Amino acid sequence: MRYYQNQPNMRQLLLLLFISITPLASTCQIAGNEINPSPGMELWYTSPAGDWLEALPIGNGRLGAMIYGGLQEEHIQLNEESLWAGMPEDPYPENVRQHYAEFQRLNLEGNYQEALDYAMEYLSVSPTSIRSYEPLGELHISFDHQKSVDHYRRSLDMETGLVTATYSIAGKRYRREAFSSNEYNVIFYRFESLDGAPVSSTIRFEREKDIFQRVGEEDILFVDGQVFDDADGYDDNVGGSGKPGDHMKFSSQITAVLDNGTIRGNEKTLSIENSTGFTLILSAATDYNLAELNFDRNIDAKDTALKLMREAAEATYETAKQAHISEHSDMFNRVRLSLGSPHRDSLPTDKRLEKVREGTNDNHITELFFQYGRYLLMGSSVNRAVLPANLQGIWNKEMWAPWESDFHLNINLQMNYWPADLTNLSEAFVPLCNFIVKLAENGGTTAENFIGSSGWMAHHVSNPFGRTTPSGSTKESQVTNGYSNPLAGAWMSLSLWRHYEFTQDQDYLKETAYPVIAGAARFILDFLKENENGELVTSPSYSPENAYIDPTTGKPTRNTTAASMDIQIINDIFNACLEAEEILGAQQLTAEIEKASAKLPPIKIGKDGTLQEWYEDYEEAEPGHRHMSHLYALYPSNQITAATPDLFQAAEKTIERRLAFGGGGQTGWSRAWIINFYARLQQGDEALDHIHQMMATQLAPNMFDLLGKIFQIEGNFGATAGIAEMLLQSHEEGIIRLLPALPEAWDRGQVSGLKARGNFEVSMEWEDGNLQKAAILALSGGKSKVLYKGKEWLVDLKKGEAKSLFPGLEY
């Protein structure tokens, strides 16, 4: 994949232009009212973390850690992004094409129960599911501190990427710092006794199973491991999760560089005595190879990790720290947001969240929440990342993670990348694109085996081994959630198209995005069936994880034909392929797509005025279901806008109905989807209400998004995208909307660095709810219509050219 970063000098040009009309770095006056610069982007607390959901994350895309900040014992939970149980498995039942064709026929004829029964007998095959993403282990550092402590403060500075703890004991001050280095590809942990009081420490590594430890020469703690999947061990999935045996190999090395004092190694520990400062360096590696979608015995994880550790140990801590801060802050500070919050950062983050639960509007915690999503995306999908961010980014403490911490392709992985381009983190798409390219290769085999297509398909669950065949925790789930969802890969490929819309990188379009999109379109053209009304429909089909009442059986049913989301996805795939072929002069599928498009069913409005979720206006089995897949056309797609008023109104009624039945906000990610829906409906106060509800009820003390007590990172990412969408929209062709869904509580503020489709970068300032100034930088050059409250500017800029806009004055 070819990828080009935006040129820094262009961003600097926009910043200089915007500073010339509104000084971001200083206090400014507008109509006599002072706007204070936003407080620091810091999560902070006055006590150590009591559990994992209070610990603070660091990551360089590949190596992640959760820092607890304990006094007598520091606890650091560790992850390496590619450390997974299992092995490549894409199980096919015997005579799969014959039986899949029959499953298609039965669904097309409306015999849904018979189709389900047939698939359960002839298509379901073990292992129905996959094995889990696993933690690397846990590092424990004991200190011979007294228990009495003063002035304890623990923080995550998102601008620097440092987790810090400071405290005093008996009048002596101490500091700890940790970061995951992109430059050196290791984790650094620094302890300092600021007043010279010597401290003794012991370092040990723990993992539940599958490791061998020893202290070797140079006082290095070696941890060597290999995942063993036990045939008689625990399996979270009734239908089975894959073959047992010795699978992925991994390794980690830990050492300490002392300012003074002594270090000695025992069998499995390192002991430091009488030191006023030391730096721990932790490296890790596996033998995973993305090119093979498999572990690769030609890769020596131990040698890789040891080389990384030794290279890092040659640098001074300050050199490594400053390199990290410089690189991290440059990326993080591309986007700055101030909502004019009058609240100073005088309350710890957990206390601020408590105030939100009590009903306080706190614009600063909203700023933190927005930037935290960007921070987590940087930590899990840029720099050293090889794989895309999974259900927990890279941060997971369970040997068997909830839902295997998989790549869930029926909204979750897509949502992980909603904020990437919009919030100026386009680099995050690199690991996603590379993975989807490989997934499409595997999916070509699946499409050929299933229907004889030369395109590609994937179902709703995948893993680093590239599974594309249907998956489910049970055989029934494998059929209803797996086999019935053949367009999950097609939806995923649209993320690659959206990335092109933002970047305008034609080399990327030609070499990466178009082949994937064309392959998805080819599969769809081969997959569509003509129904009795002469329409082309999908069979099988379903609306992710939701059920309707089958009028024939009276039972809740998932498998069907032409669920609304399927047709909406197909519309987008076809349009993306047509546009790509026009840009590239390819014209390979244009004629077939134009012919097929004319026969697709329309988006329908049901008898209750809401959007139909299925081809027929079925009764819903669960009116308050967390998934709202038939609203895909509103967001992330652009098929429903103010220019389609009937559908626009029906979309609003659909959301109202879901919420009336207590649904839509049951999970953090579904609440985040609602924020984006209301942003697209240009209802800022409603969107903000759901931001507040999410912060009040669905965030952990460390601001991780929760489902109950389970961390799901896509809620953080989706909320960040929603906040950005409230401030800037560019989904309508050739249009950039400024402050389209500004809530009353955000009556003044400023934002810089947001991105619009067409590769424009936008900065704005507003006061009393009205836009005062804006600046637009064309990173690729091009035309756009800029809209704000009935005002319209036609912008035609050369590459690198920037313009300022002043509402009330002609442009």
Side-chain angles (χ1 to χ4, degrees), residues 190-232:
R190 173 72 177 164
F191 169 78
E192 286 185 86
S193 178
L194 299 177
D195 294 312
V199 171
S200 295
S201 301
T202 301
I203 301 157
R204 71 182 192 280
F205 185 96
E206 294 182 352
R207 193 175 194 269
E208 186 177 316
K209 59 176 186 174
D210 301 337
I211 61 169
F212 168 77
Q213 298 185 64
R214 65 181 178 86
V215 175
E217 296 179 1
E218 304 174 69
D219 293 312
I220 297 172
L221 175 57
F222 289 87
V223 179
D224 297 313
Q226 183 170 17
V227 174
F228 173 66
D229 295 318
D230 189 350
D232 298 320

Side-chain angles (χ1 to χ4, degrees), residues 288-321:
Y288 177 75
N289 185 345
L290 175 67
E292 302 294 330
L293 290 176
N294 197 358
F295 36 83
D296 182 349
R297 298 308 186 219
N298 292 316
I299 297 173
D300 190 317
K302 178 181 176 180
D303 284 354
T304 301
L306 186 58
K307 180 181 179 182
L308 290 172
M309 192 207 69
R310 284 179 168 159
E311 290 175 352
E314 290 178 359
T316 67
Y317 175 74
E318 279 302 315
T319 297
K321 175 182 171 181

Side-chain angles (χ1 to χ4, degrees), residues 121 125 132 147 176 180 242 335 337 341 421 465 480 496 504 542 601 659 664 693 720 731 779:
E121 182 172 356
V125 58
S132 180
K147 292 186 177 181
R176 307 176 192 173
S180 188
V335 174
L337 173 64
S341 174
D421 285 310
F465 306 117
T480 58
L496 277 62
Q504 299 293 294
Y542 100 138
L659 294 173
Q693 289 190 54
T720 292
H731 57 285
L779 293 164

Side-chain angles (χ1 to χ4, degrees), residues 128-130 459-461 467 469-474 477-478 481-483:
T128 65
S129 192
I130 61 174
H459 296 81
H460 85 298
V461 165
R467 180 159 177 166
T469 56
S471 180
S473 57
T474 64
S477 176
Q478 186 185 41
N481 293 319
Y483 276 101

Side-chain angles (χ1 to χ4, degrees), residues 436-509:
I436 296 301
V437 167
K438 297 300 298 182
L439 191 72
E441 292 177 10
N442 276 15
T445 301
T446 303
E448 166 65 24
N449 288 345
F450 274 37
I451 65 170
S453 173
S454 60
W456 76 278
M457 68 185 301
H459 296 81
H460 85 298
V461 165
S462 192
N463 61 1
F465 306 117
R467 180 159 177 166
T468 57
T469 56
S471 180
S473 57
T474 64
K475 289 188 174 182
E476 183 175 2
S477 176
Q478 186 185 41
V479 172
T480 58
N481 293 319
Y483 276 101
S484 299
N485 188 206
L487 296 192
W491 184 8
M492 200 66 245
S493 69
L494 287 168
S495 296
L496 277 62
W497 172 249
R498 186 174 70 250
H499 181 53
Y500 167 75
E501 289 184 304
F502 276 92
T503 64
Q504 299 293 294
D505 184 339
Q506 290 195 20
D507 291 322
Y508 158 79
L509 177 64

Side-chain angles (χ1 to χ4, degrees), residues 596-611:
S597 293
K599 299 180 71 174
L600 293 173
I603 300 175
K604 302 176 184 178
I605 298 175
K607 58 182 178 293
D608 61 0
T610 67
L611 296 175

